[in-house]
mmCIF file of all heavy atoms in Angstrom:
data_model
loop_
_atom_site.group_PDB
_atom_site.id
_atom_site.type_symbol
_atom_site.label_atom_id
_atom_site.label_comp_id
_atom_site.label_asym_id
_atom_site.label_seq_id
_atom_site.Cartn_x
_atom_site.Cartn_y
_atom_site.Cartn_z
ATOM 1 N N GLY A 274 53.370 -14.970 25.628
ATOM 2 C CA GLY A 274 53.430 -15.264 27.047
ATOM 3 C C GLY A 274 52.930 -14.018 27.762
ATOM 4 O O GLY A 274 53.243 -12.903 27.351
ATOM 5 N N ALA A 275 52.130 -14.173 28.787
ATOM 6 C CA ALA A 275 51.578 -13.006 29.466
ATOM 7 C C ALA A 275 51.575 -13.233 30.968
ATOM 8 O O ALA A 275 51.402 -14.355 31.438
ATOM 9 C CB ALA A 275 50.158 -12.730 28.978
ATOM 10 N N SER A 276 51.755 -12.156 31.723
ATOM 11 C CA SER A 276 51.719 -12.232 33.175
ATOM 12 C C SER A 276 51.003 -11.009 33.726
ATOM 13 O O SER A 276 50.994 -9.949 33.112
ATOM 14 C CB SER A 276 53.130 -12.334 33.757
ATOM 15 O OG SER A 276 53.882 -11.182 33.439
ATOM 16 N N LEU A 277 50.396 -11.193 34.882
ATOM 17 C CA LEU A 277 49.734 -10.121 35.612
ATOM 18 C C LEU A 277 50.365 -10.043 36.991
ATOM 19 O O LEU A 277 50.404 -11.038 37.709
ATOM 20 C CB LEU A 277 48.228 -10.404 35.733
ATOM 21 C CG LEU A 277 47.424 -9.519 36.685
ATOM 22 C CD1 LEU A 277 47.533 -8.044 36.318
ATOM 23 C CD2 LEU A 277 45.973 -9.975 36.713
ATOM 24 N N ASN A 278 50.856 -8.871 37.337
ATOM 25 C CA ASN A 278 51.471 -8.639 38.631
ATOM 26 C C ASN A 278 50.589 -7.653 39.394
ATOM 27 O O ASN A 278 50.289 -6.583 38.885
ATOM 28 C CB ASN A 278 52.874 -8.063 38.437
ATOM 29 C CG ASN A 278 53.619 -7.872 39.735
ATOM 30 O OD1 ASN A 278 53.038 -7.788 40.805
ATOM 31 N ND2 ASN A 278 54.923 -7.766 39.629
ATOM 32 N N VAL A 279 50.169 -8.023 40.594
ATOM 33 C CA VAL A 279 49.388 -7.153 41.471
ATOM 34 C C VAL A 279 50.218 -6.918 42.716
ATOM 35 O O VAL A 279 50.590 -7.868 43.409
ATOM 36 C CB VAL A 279 48.035 -7.796 41.835
ATOM 37 C CG1 VAL A 279 47.285 -6.917 42.831
ATOM 38 C CG2 VAL A 279 47.199 -8.039 40.593
ATOM 39 N N ARG A 280 50.490 -5.653 43.002
ATOM 40 C CA ARG A 280 51.329 -5.312 44.152
ATOM 41 C C ARG A 280 50.540 -4.387 45.077
ATOM 42 O O ARG A 280 50.124 -3.304 44.660
ATOM 43 C CB ARG A 280 52.590 -4.624 43.653
ATOM 44 C CG ARG A 280 53.600 -4.386 44.691
ATOM 45 C CD ARG A 280 54.834 -3.849 44.019
ATOM 46 N NE ARG A 280 55.897 -3.755 44.976
ATOM 47 C CZ ARG A 280 57.034 -3.172 44.716
ATOM 48 N NH1 ARG A 280 57.259 -2.639 43.533
ATOM 49 N NH2 ARG A 280 57.960 -3.114 45.630
ATOM 50 N N VAL A 281 50.330 -4.830 46.304
ATOM 51 C CA VAL A 281 49.583 -4.062 47.288
ATOM 52 C C VAL A 281 50.577 -3.373 48.217
ATOM 53 O O VAL A 281 51.415 -4.027 48.826
ATOM 54 C CB VAL A 281 48.643 -4.979 48.105
ATOM 55 C CG1 VAL A 281 47.904 -4.182 49.169
ATOM 56 C CG2 VAL A 281 47.664 -5.692 47.182
ATOM 57 N N MET A 282 50.478 -2.042 48.292
ATOM 58 C CA MET A 282 51.339 -1.248 49.170
ATOM 59 C C MET A 282 50.425 -0.331 49.975
ATOM 60 O O MET A 282 49.984 0.694 49.454
ATOM 61 C CB MET A 282 52.333 -0.447 48.348
ATOM 62 C CG MET A 282 53.272 -1.326 47.535
ATOM 63 S SD MET A 282 54.268 -0.419 46.342
ATOM 64 C CE MET A 282 53.013 0.119 45.191
ATOM 65 N N GLY A 283 50.110 -0.737 51.196
ATOM 66 C CA GLY A 283 49.145 0.021 51.990
ATOM 67 C C GLY A 283 47.779 -0.090 51.336
ATOM 68 O O GLY A 283 47.281 -1.190 51.137
ATOM 69 N N ASP A 284 47.182 1.055 50.986
ATOM 70 C CA ASP A 284 45.892 1.010 50.298
ATOM 71 C C ASP A 284 46.030 1.312 48.807
ATOM 72 O O ASP A 284 45.047 1.542 48.115
ATOM 73 C CB ASP A 284 44.868 1.932 50.962
ATOM 74 C CG ASP A 284 45.317 3.380 51.009
ATOM 75 O OD1 ASP A 284 46.337 3.721 50.385
ATOM 76 O OD2 ASP A 284 44.639 4.176 51.688
ATOM 77 N N SER A 285 47.240 1.305 48.291
ATOM 78 C CA SER A 285 47.492 1.502 46.865
ATOM 79 C C SER A 285 47.785 0.145 46.212
ATOM 80 O O SER A 285 48.530 -0.663 46.760
ATOM 81 C CB SER A 285 48.687 2.435 46.670
ATOM 82 O OG SER A 285 48.960 2.601 45.295
ATOM 83 N N VAL A 286 47.170 -0.075 45.057
ATOM 84 C CA VAL A 286 47.352 -1.336 44.333
ATOM 85 C C VAL A 286 47.917 -1.013 42.957
ATOM 86 O O VAL A 286 47.312 -0.267 42.184
ATOM 87 C CB VAL A 286 46.018 -2.102 44.211
ATOM 88 C CG1 VAL A 286 46.216 -3.398 43.435
ATOM 89 C CG2 VAL A 286 45.438 -2.383 45.589
ATOM 90 N N ARG A 287 49.089 -1.563 42.660
ATOM 91 C CA ARG A 287 49.724 -1.368 41.355
ATOM 92 C C ARG A 287 49.467 -2.613 40.523
ATOM 93 O O ARG A 287 49.712 -3.737 40.969
ATOM 94 C CB ARG A 287 51.216 -1.143 41.527
ATOM 95 C CG ARG A 287 51.951 -0.968 40.205
ATOM 96 C CD ARG A 287 53.436 -0.819 40.477
ATOM 97 N NE ARG A 287 54.222 -1.080 39.314
ATOM 98 C CZ ARG A 287 54.700 -0.138 38.508
ATOM 99 N NH1 ARG A 287 54.447 1.115 38.773
ATOM 100 N NH2 ARG A 287 55.413 -0.458 37.459
ATOM 101 N N LEU A 288 48.969 -2.397 39.308
ATOM 102 C CA LEU A 288 48.640 -3.477 38.388
ATOM 103 C C LEU A 288 49.563 -3.388 37.180
ATOM 104 O O LEU A 288 49.754 -2.304 36.621
ATOM 105 C CB LEU A 288 47.191 -3.332 37.925
ATOM 106 C CG LEU A 288 46.171 -3.238 39.051
ATOM 107 C CD1 LEU A 288 44.945 -2.489 38.604
ATOM 108 C CD2 LEU A 288 45.825 -4.618 39.532
ATOM 109 N N GLU A 289 50.109 -4.520 36.783
ATOM 110 C CA GLU A 289 51.008 -4.534 35.628
ATOM 111 C C GLU A 289 50.753 -5.789 34.813
ATOM 112 O O GLU A 289 50.775 -6.894 35.343
ATOM 113 C CB GLU A 289 52.459 -4.515 36.109
ATOM 114 C CG GLU A 289 53.471 -4.531 34.995
ATOM 115 C CD GLU A 289 54.891 -4.423 35.513
ATOM 116 O OE1 GLU A 289 55.112 -3.849 36.591
ATOM 117 O OE2 GLU A 289 55.790 -4.944 34.825
ATOM 118 N N VAL A 290 50.484 -5.601 33.526
ATOM 119 C CA VAL A 290 50.355 -6.734 32.618
ATOM 120 C C VAL A 290 51.537 -6.665 31.648
ATOM 121 O O VAL A 290 51.905 -5.593 31.167
ATOM 122 C CB VAL A 290 48.992 -6.768 31.878
ATOM 123 C CG1 VAL A 290 48.796 -5.574 30.967
ATOM 124 C CG2 VAL A 290 48.818 -8.067 31.111
ATOM 125 N N HIS A 291 52.143 -7.820 31.434
ATOM 126 C CA HIS A 291 53.329 -7.938 30.590
ATOM 127 C C HIS A 291 53.045 -8.988 29.526
ATOM 128 O O HIS A 291 52.598 -10.085 29.857
ATOM 129 C CB HIS A 291 54.489 -8.368 31.467
ATOM 130 C CG HIS A 291 55.818 -7.971 30.949
ATOM 131 N ND1 HIS A 291 56.963 -8.194 31.638
ATOM 132 C CD2 HIS A 291 56.205 -7.362 29.822
ATOM 133 C CE1 HIS A 291 57.999 -7.746 30.969
ATOM 134 N NE2 HIS A 291 57.561 -7.243 29.859
ATOM 135 N N VAL A 292 53.291 -8.663 28.266
ATOM 136 C CA VAL A 292 53.049 -9.568 27.151
ATOM 137 C C VAL A 292 54.344 -9.705 26.360
ATOM 138 O O VAL A 292 54.972 -8.702 26.026
ATOM 139 C CB VAL A 292 51.928 -9.028 26.228
ATOM 140 C CG1 VAL A 292 51.717 -9.931 25.041
ATOM 141 C CG2 VAL A 292 50.646 -8.847 27.007
ATOM 142 N N THR A 293 54.752 -10.943 26.069
ATOM 143 C CA THR A 293 55.995 -11.215 25.343
ATOM 144 C C THR A 293 55.723 -12.141 24.174
ATOM 145 O O THR A 293 54.997 -13.132 24.297
ATOM 146 C CB THR A 293 57.035 -11.869 26.276
ATOM 147 O OG1 THR A 293 57.285 -10.996 27.374
ATOM 148 C CG2 THR A 293 58.346 -12.150 25.552
ATOM 149 N N ASN A 294 56.326 -11.836 23.031
ATOM 150 C CA ASN A 294 56.237 -12.701 21.855
ATOM 151 C C ASN A 294 57.147 -13.906 22.079
ATOM 152 O O ASN A 294 58.366 -13.774 22.125
ATOM 153 C CB ASN A 294 56.664 -11.930 20.603
ATOM 154 C CG ASN A 294 56.643 -12.782 19.360
ATOM 155 O OD1 ASN A 294 56.412 -13.988 19.400
ATOM 156 N ND2 ASN A 294 56.908 -12.168 18.219
ATOM 157 N N VAL A 295 56.547 -15.091 22.232
ATOM 158 C CA VAL A 295 57.319 -16.314 22.422
ATOM 159 C C VAL A 295 57.420 -17.129 21.131
ATOM 160 O O VAL A 295 57.969 -18.225 21.126
ATOM 161 C CB VAL A 295 56.737 -17.182 23.576
ATOM 162 C CG1 VAL A 295 56.839 -16.438 24.902
ATOM 163 C CG2 VAL A 295 55.305 -17.597 23.292
ATOM 164 N N ALA A 296 56.892 -16.578 20.038
ATOM 165 C CA ALA A 296 56.946 -17.246 18.733
ATOM 166 C C ALA A 296 58.286 -16.938 18.062
ATOM 167 O O ALA A 296 59.014 -16.034 18.470
ATOM 168 C CB ALA A 296 55.786 -16.770 17.854
ATOM 169 N N GLY A 297 58.588 -17.666 17.021
ATOM 170 C CA GLY A 297 59.835 -17.485 16.300
ATOM 171 C C GLY A 297 59.786 -16.420 15.215
ATOM 172 O O GLY A 297 60.773 -16.196 14.524
ATOM 173 N N SER A 298 58.642 -15.749 15.069
ATOM 174 C CA SER A 298 58.495 -14.702 14.053
ATOM 175 C C SER A 298 57.729 -13.525 14.651
ATOM 176 O O SER A 298 57.097 -13.661 15.708
ATOM 177 C CB SER A 298 57.760 -15.259 12.826
ATOM 178 O OG SER A 298 56.493 -15.755 13.198
ATOM 179 N N PRO A 299 57.774 -12.363 13.986
ATOM 180 C CA PRO A 299 57.053 -11.197 14.526
ATOM 181 C C PRO A 299 55.558 -11.469 14.668
ATOM 182 O O PRO A 299 54.970 -12.236 13.903
ATOM 183 C CB PRO A 299 57.293 -10.114 13.478
ATOM 184 C CG PRO A 299 58.553 -10.526 12.782
ATOM 185 C CD PRO A 299 58.509 -12.040 12.770
ATOM 186 N N VAL A 300 54.950 -10.837 15.673
ATOM 187 C CA VAL A 300 53.514 -10.916 15.913
ATOM 188 C C VAL A 300 52.980 -9.485 15.892
ATOM 189 O O VAL A 300 53.502 -8.619 16.602
ATOM 190 C CB VAL A 300 53.212 -11.580 17.270
ATOM 191 C CG1 VAL A 300 51.735 -11.487 17.610
ATOM 192 C CG2 VAL A 300 53.678 -13.028 17.273
ATOM 193 N N ALA A 301 51.963 -9.245 15.065
ATOM 194 C CA ALA A 301 51.359 -7.912 14.956
ATOM 195 C C ALA A 301 50.009 -7.915 15.670
ATOM 196 O O ALA A 301 49.079 -8.596 15.237
ATOM 197 C CB ALA A 301 51.196 -7.515 13.494
ATOM 198 N N LEU A 302 49.915 -7.174 16.746
ATOM 199 C CA LEU A 302 48.660 -7.039 17.477
ATOM 200 C C LEU A 302 47.861 -5.902 16.839
ATOM 201 O O LEU A 302 48.380 -4.792 16.684
ATOM 202 C CB LEU A 302 48.917 -6.726 18.952
ATOM 203 C CG LEU A 302 49.394 -7.877 19.827
ATOM 204 C CD1 LEU A 302 50.840 -8.228 19.541
ATOM 205 C CD2 LEU A 302 49.234 -7.523 21.274
ATOM 206 N N GLU A 303 46.619 -6.182 16.472
ATOM 207 C CA GLU A 303 45.749 -5.196 15.817
ATOM 208 C C GLU A 303 44.748 -4.649 16.828
ATOM 209 O O GLU A 303 44.202 -5.408 17.638
ATOM 210 C CB GLU A 303 44.988 -5.848 14.655
ATOM 211 C CG GLU A 303 45.870 -6.541 13.626
ATOM 212 C CD GLU A 303 46.650 -5.575 12.748
ATOM 213 O OE1 GLU A 303 46.249 -4.398 12.656
ATOM 214 O OE2 GLU A 303 47.656 -6.000 12.166
ATOM 215 N N PHE A 304 44.470 -3.334 16.743
ATOM 216 C CA PHE A 304 43.553 -2.675 17.670
ATOM 217 C C PHE A 304 42.557 -1.832 16.881
ATOM 218 O O PHE A 304 42.918 -1.187 15.906
ATOM 219 C CB PHE A 304 44.321 -1.782 18.637
ATOM 220 C CG PHE A 304 45.304 -2.530 19.495
ATOM 221 C CD1 PHE A 304 46.610 -2.724 19.070
ATOM 222 C CD2 PHE A 304 44.920 -3.043 20.712
ATOM 223 C CE1 PHE A 304 47.524 -3.414 19.845
ATOM 224 C CE2 PHE A 304 45.824 -3.745 21.507
ATOM 225 C CZ PHE A 304 47.127 -3.932 21.074
ATOM 226 N N ASP A 305 41.288 -1.819 17.348
ATOM 227 C CA ASP A 305 40.231 -1.016 16.706
ATOM 228 C C ASP A 305 40.295 0.459 17.066
ATOM 229 O O ASP A 305 39.768 1.298 16.339
ATOM 230 C CB ASP A 305 38.839 -1.527 17.122
ATOM 231 C CG ASP A 305 38.406 -2.720 16.317
ATOM 232 O OD1 ASP A 305 38.991 -2.976 15.252
ATOM 233 O OD2 ASP A 305 37.465 -3.402 16.751
ATOM 234 N N THR A 306 40.877 0.772 18.236
ATOM 235 C CA THR A 306 40.968 2.150 18.717
ATOM 236 C C THR A 306 42.378 2.386 19.240
ATOM 237 O O THR A 306 43.232 1.502 19.154
ATOM 238 C CB THR A 306 39.964 2.413 19.868
ATOM 239 O OG1 THR A 306 40.378 1.681 21.025
ATOM 240 C CG2 THR A 306 38.537 2.017 19.476
ATOM 241 N N THR A 307 42.594 3.548 19.834
ATOM 242 C CA THR A 307 43.903 3.831 20.429
ATOM 243 C C THR A 307 44.074 3.168 21.795
ATOM 244 O O THR A 307 45.170 3.190 22.343
ATOM 245 C CB THR A 307 44.125 5.353 20.566
ATOM 246 O OG1 THR A 307 43.077 5.908 21.346
ATOM 247 C CG2 THR A 307 44.173 6.017 19.190
ATOM 248 N N GLN A 308 43.015 2.556 22.336
ATOM 249 C CA GLN A 308 43.140 1.827 23.605
ATOM 250 C C GLN A 308 43.916 0.538 23.373
ATOM 251 O O GLN A 308 43.640 -0.202 22.436
ATOM 252 C CB GLN A 308 41.771 1.506 24.199
ATOM 253 C CG GLN A 308 41.869 0.807 25.540
ATOM 254 C CD GLN A 308 40.520 0.481 26.154
ATOM 255 O OE1 GLN A 308 39.481 0.621 25.518
ATOM 256 N NE2 GLN A 308 40.532 0.039 27.401
ATOM 257 N N ARG A 309 44.868 0.263 24.265
ATOM 258 C CA ARG A 309 45.682 -0.948 24.162
ATOM 259 C C ARG A 309 45.403 -1.952 25.280
ATOM 260 O O ARG A 309 45.616 -3.138 25.111
ATOM 261 C CB ARG A 309 47.175 -0.593 24.190
ATOM 262 C CG ARG A 309 47.619 0.300 23.033
ATOM 263 C CD ARG A 309 47.458 -0.422 21.724
ATOM 264 N NE ARG A 309 47.969 0.312 20.597
ATOM 265 C CZ ARG A 309 47.229 0.952 19.707
ATOM 266 N NH1 ARG A 309 45.915 0.975 19.835
ATOM 267 N NH2 ARG A 309 47.778 1.570 18.692
ATOM 268 N N TYR A 310 44.959 -1.483 26.437
ATOM 269 C CA TYR A 310 44.795 -2.347 27.610
ATOM 270 C C TYR A 310 43.679 -1.820 28.494
ATOM 271 O O TYR A 310 43.191 -0.706 28.316
ATOM 272 C CB TYR A 310 46.093 -2.421 28.410
ATOM 273 C CG TYR A 310 46.517 -1.101 28.987
ATOM 274 C CD1 TYR A 310 46.196 -0.774 30.306
ATOM 275 C CD2 TYR A 310 47.222 -0.172 28.230
ATOM 276 C CE1 TYR A 310 46.567 0.444 30.846
ATOM 277 C CE2 TYR A 310 47.600 1.043 28.760
ATOM 278 C CZ TYR A 310 47.268 1.351 30.063
ATOM 279 O OH TYR A 310 47.628 2.558 30.599
#
C-alpha cells in the first residue's frame, strides 16, 4: 500500500511517500544502488 502526501506551507512544499507491506508475508525490496526514493 502506498501514499503520497504533499503539504504546502507558504512557499515550502513537503513531500512524503509512505509504503506499507499489506501482504501476509515479508516483502524484500531490492535496489541496484544506495538510492531508495
